[in-house]
Amino acid sequence: MADLFGVRTVGTRPERLLQHFAIDGSVPLAKGVVEQSLQYHGEASEYALEGATALACLHQDADTPSSEPAVTIHRYGKGSAVAFAFDLAKSVVLMRQGNPQWQNTEGDTKSGYRPMDLFMRSEGETYFDSKRLTIPQADEKQRFLANLILRLAEKPLPRMWYLPAMHKVVMVNTGDGEANYGPEIAPVLDACASYGGRFSVYLMNWDKARGIDRTSVEEEAAWRAAGHEVGVHVYGGGPDGEGAYDTLREAYAKITADLKGKFAHGARTVRNHTIDWTGWVDMAAIEAEFGTRMDMNYYHYIPCESPIDTRGYFNGTGLPQRFIDARGQMLPIYQTTTQWPDEWFADHKITAEQTVEIITNMFQAARNGFYSAFVNNIHPPRYNAIYAKDPITPVWPHTVWAYCRDQGIPLWSGEMLLDFLEARNRTRLENIAWQTDSEPGAHRLSFDFQAPSAREDLTILIPSGWSGRRLGVLTVDGKAVEVATEVIKGIEYARFTPTAARAQVVADYR
Ligand SMILES: [Zn+2]
């Protein structure tokens, strides 16, 4: 290990709740991602450098660097060996999914277990550093790794862009139906559609909140024909901890059967009533068992003086990824965080203008490098202005929808995001070949693009320069295509969007 990585282990840092490291952007290999200190979770090794170079250092606290490296690089043989002092993959999963030691306990000061309990204790401890909420830390850490892989590869590597086409931000519209049905649901769907948007509504089927029962087959079919999604809003009735798993599993089996029985389709994406949750990710596993492929229950509701102080990324991400269970197995369901619940704004008594400002500032930061798919929750009853305590939810969505329409930000349903992710993540870039001196003075990159079906929005990025050469002609199935170039996180790429399901790509660098 000392030979290969050029470091010697001198100790171990036991895990603390809040711990940080910082990337050294003055080293060219490490350039491009956030240089403020970022959190990591799990224990870390203490290394002494014996030939390696540090790319990042561990911190004593958020603002104080230590002399110990967090990430190192060492030239070895024909390649390079990079060592992380902590388990990067585990750290990302913990940051996104919360503290497993806090599962099935109360922590967010609101009764009922929900994902936020995995991030807070009633006494004030948090799993996130409140000074880092505006940074999607888990995403930045992964981009750091991706940059290292690209920069250390022996040939230019193609990659897929995160979001549809070349969008840097997408807004996903959702609403928990509560006791509403049919004609009470329609206004918010129609309003969103009038701005070109689509919406996911989650219907209940519990006691008096019988949204599935009371919505007619014709009403539901019309919403879906207009491009909206209809899913479920499950409620277990309250039990927490012991017994909750069985109760929630039974409730989820019933509500998905009710939806299918009435409307002949499954529940593809979901948010739960009172954000019901059990275990670390047991609830997500239950949803996956009944065919649901995207969960919206990581829900930004931090008790605070004002949402202005606690807006941001409490679980470090603006991008959906699959859940990981306690054994480290990937579950067949995406975790997509709900950053903008209407009641979080309204309960803290801010104005519609302040709500719009929070949202548009986050759009702007996303465009500038914190690429994100943001999810809102616009409850139909709140949109319909039935609560005197909430005068803002009938108002701010219109301003935000108009902004998105005017700025070209996609206004999607949850199901649309799911379809995109499934297509993107099943796409393969294969037979990647790098031919030097393919003709005098030229080097050639070639690879096969293979998507599950033809779409108009699966975008490929390739480095626009490589070892002193610039990308010249790029052909897709033999036809030259126009490419746009753009710097993403410190690396300049050429980007293009194949429209067929399969294509051969050839890029010449001169
Ligand atoms: Zn609800």
Side-chain angles (χ1 to χ4, degrees), residues 32-47:
V33 293
V34 163
E35 291 175 31
Q36 275 166 286
S37 67
L38 301 174
Q39 289 177 262
Y40 70 94
H41 294 290
E43 62 176 29
S45 297
E46 294 175 329
Y47 292 141

Side-chain angles (χ1 to χ4, degrees), residues 426-443:
R426 282 191 204 135
T427 296
R428 294 287 167 261
L429 304 177
E430 287 177 331
N431 304 319
I432 301 170
W434 178 238
Q435 206 185 336
T436 53
D437 292 317
S438 51
E439 52 185 272
H443 290 185

